[in-house]
Amino acid sequence: MSILSDCKYAIMTQENPLRNIQEPPAPRSAVQALQDVAHGALDFAELEQHHLSADRVLDFSTNTNPYGAAPGVRAALLSTPVDRYPDREALMLRRALAQHLGVASENILAGNGSAELIWLAALTYLDAGQTALVIGPTFGEYARAAALMGARVDEWQAEPENGFAVDAAAIQVQLSRQTYRLVFLCNPNNPTGQTLPLERLAEWAQTHSETMFVVDEAYIAFCSGMPSAIDARLPNLLVLRSMTKDYALTGLRLGYAVGDARVIAALRKTRPPWNVNAMAQTAGVAALQDAQYMKDNLISLQESYQALTVALRQRGYTVIPSAVHFFLMQVGDGARFRAALRPKGVLVRNCASFDLPDYVRIAARRSEENQRLLAAIDEVFV
Ligand SMILES: Cc1ncc(COP(=O)(O)O)c(C=O)c1O
């Protein structure tokens, strides 16, 4: 009998203690305690369950540029080899970004979406037992990434009574009470559309040199004229950007981090190899080449946001004013509102996961698409 068949025999026999193992090894404790985070965007299992097709549904639950990627992106993708590993360092992309942002390429790390960079920031800077501060209500991945590292997470929450404004004085007090290793702040914020002046942020970073401030600027392009934390050039300010959103590279997903070269070098150590695929790198370079397309898109989107919010207010809804093209709207029961619109082929974001169950988040789309949302609301609720 060969060794292999001996083993097979041993595994199959009754006496073999291996047969009695029922349970796999337990994941580490931080993973066991980890909560799933709800997100917007299409849920394909849900679509299947409700006999909806992804191509026919209008998705107002994701805050991306609804005009789609620049025409040059598709052409560039066609000539991207898929049978070759991508550039691990994303050199061409980082050079193009460096030129676009006016920084050196050593100040940039590309990521498989900015979500990966949120995780890398936590992986790089948080030890178990340290404390992170999240300025909420906000994107759920900050708290999740911190919790995965075994860190304690404090959350400061903006209040609906103040239109979800970020109270800089209250956060200042919070920062003075405790030494935070990491602070996550989304500016402009998802889902509230509120912004925090750069001066406040820079002030905090300057007075708390022991803290890494991670400023997620995934939506800054949608807020015309807003100054970026990149310009503060502080060593403890790390800025994250998402090309998934403004450049509409949504199916490819692409993000980048901008910061002090030493911070970028540290993040680079913790990223998986070949983290940004070849298609995303090519698409990123091509997208950056068409600045006019983006400019035109953003102007149209601002107009379509204005018109949509006016139309919703005319229908009696409370819309929270926002600095970007997505906004919170008070509807009573967000889950019910979303479910009622679903059969009409329009999806909005139920905000229960932000602890705002009576709100939905809506991202303005092209004017004609907004009309479909309004028509659906009229049919279902009026
Ligand atoms: C605030 C914020 N940051 C980051 C992300 C992640 O985007 P991506 O990983 O596609 O760049 C999202 C996605 O919804 C987001 O809302």
Side-chain angles (χ1 to χ4, degrees), residues 122-186:
L123 191 58
T124 307
Y125 285 100
L126 275 177
D127 274 323
Q130 290 181 322
T131 310
L133 176 66
V134 172
I135 312 295
T138 193
F139 189 51
E141 292 297 327
Y142 312 132
R144 190 158 82 114
L148 182 59
M149 303 307 143
R152 210 187 86 203
V153 182
D154 285 355
E155 291 208 35
W156 180 89
Q157 296 288 339
E159 301 291 342
E161 298 76 48
N162 307 330
F164 297 100
V166 186
D167 182 344
I171 295 170
Q172 176 82 48
V173 170
Q174 180 92 20
L175 287 171
S176 63
R177 278 201 194 123
Q178 152 103 38
T179 302
Y180 290 104
R181 176 73 165 144
L182 209 58
V183 173
F184 282 110
L185 181 131
C186 186

Side-chain angles (χ1 to χ4, degrees), residues 113-115 118 139 142 186 190 216 218-219 242 244-245 253-254:
S114 52
I118 293 168
F139 189 51
Y142 312 132
C186 186
N190 169 21
D216 186 342
Y219 300 110
S242 170
T244 303
K245 315 285 184 193
R253 298 190 49 255
L254 181 61

Side-chain angles (χ1 to χ4, degrees), residues 39-41 61-64 111-118 138-142 185-191 216-219 240-245 249-250 252-256 326 354 361:
H39 290 295
S61 77
T62 182
N63 307 326
T64 55
N112 180 20
S114 52
E116 180 182 49
L117 298 160
I118 293 168
T138 193
F139 189 51
E141 292 297 327
Y142 312 132
L185 181 131
C186 186
N187 202 28
N189 187 40
N190 169 21
D216 186 342
E217 293 186 347
Y219 300 110
L240 308 184
R241 293 274 184 90
S242 170
M243 295 183 74
T244 303
K245 315 285 184 193
L249 303 182
T250 319
L252 296 166
R253 298 190 49 255
L254 181 61
Y256 59 90
F326 58 84
F354 296 111
R361 188 193 66 204

Side-chain angles (χ1 to χ4, degrees), residues 2-188:
S2 70
I3 293 177
L4 251 182
S5 55
D6 269 0
C7 286
K8 203 166 156 195
Y9 174 77
I11 287 166
M12 287 163 61
T13 51
Q14 292 286 331
E15 319 80 68
N16 184 352
L18 291 180
R19 293 190 80 236
N20 296 325
I21 296 176
Q22 306 280 325
E23 302 278 340
R28 62 190 178 87
S29 52
V31 175
Q32 288 179 49
L34 205 60
Q35 302 289 320
D36 261 354
V37 168
H39 290 295
L42 299 180
D43 173 342
F44 287 80
E46 180 193 23
L47 294 182
E48 198 172 275
Q49 191 189 345
H50 293 275
H51 311 289
L52 293 166
S53 135
D55 294 334
R56 314 256 329 250
V57 159
L58 273 183
D59 186 9
F60 293 84
S61 77
T62 182
N63 307 326
T64 55
N65 173 354
Y67 296 93
V73 168
R74 199 165 284 275
L77 288 177
L78 288 175
S79 58
T80 305
V82 293
D83 55 354
R84 192 170 76 195
Y85 267 97
D87 174 6
R88 271 197 302 274
E89 301 303 336
L91 270 178
M92 300 306 281
L93 173 65
R94 282 171 50 234
R95 280 185 195 141
L97 283 168
Q99 198 177 12
H100 177 69
L101 301 167
V103 299
S105 43
E106 290 71 31
N107 297 115
I108 300 172
L109 183 74
N112 180 20
S114 52
E116 180 182 49
L117 298 160
I118 293 168
W119 284 59
L120 292 188
L123 191 58
T124 307
Y125 285 100
L126 275 177
D127 274 323
Q130 290 181 322
T131 310
L133 176 66
V134 172
I135 312 295
T138 193
F139 189 51
E141 292 297 327
Y142 312 132
R144 190 158 82 114
L148 182 59
M149 303 307 143
R152 210 187 86 203
V153 182
D154 285 355
E155 291 208 35
W156 180 89
Q157 296 288 339
E159 301 291 342
E161 298 76 48
N162 307 330
F164 297 100
V166 186
D167 182 344
I171 295 170
Q172 176 82 48
V173 170
Q174 180 92 20
L175 287 171
S176 63
R177 278 201 194 123
Q178 152 103 38
T179 302
Y180 290 104
R181 176 73 165 144
L182 209 58
V183 173
F184 282 110
L185 181 131
C186 186
N187 202 28

Side-chain angles (χ1 to χ4, degrees), residues 63-68 100 218-226 241-243 245-248 290-306 323-326 364-367:
N63 307 326
T64 55
N65 173 354
Y67 296 93
H100 177 69
Y219 300 110
I220 195 166
F222 298 102
C223 182
S224 143
M226 180 169 162
R241 293 274 184 90
S242 170
M243 295 183 74
K245 315 285 184 193
D246 44 5
Y247 291 93
D290 201 341
Q292 193 56 45
Y293 175 80
M294 173 64 75
K295 233 182 239 167
D296 295 345
N297 281 182
L298 295 175
I299 291 169
S300 307
L301 193 54
Q302 224 356 271
E303 288 166 6
S304 109
Y305 158 81
Q306 293 295 349
V324 284
H325 70 301
F326 58 84
R365 297 187 58 93
R366 303 169 188 225
S367 306

Side-chain angles (χ1 to χ4, degrees), residues 312 315 317 329 337 341 373-382:
L312 289 166
R315 285 161 173 78
Y317 290 106
M329 184 167 91
F337 186 89
L341 289 177
L373 170 66
L374 292 168
I377 288 176
D378 289 345
E379 270 179 61
V380 176
F381 298 107
V382 178

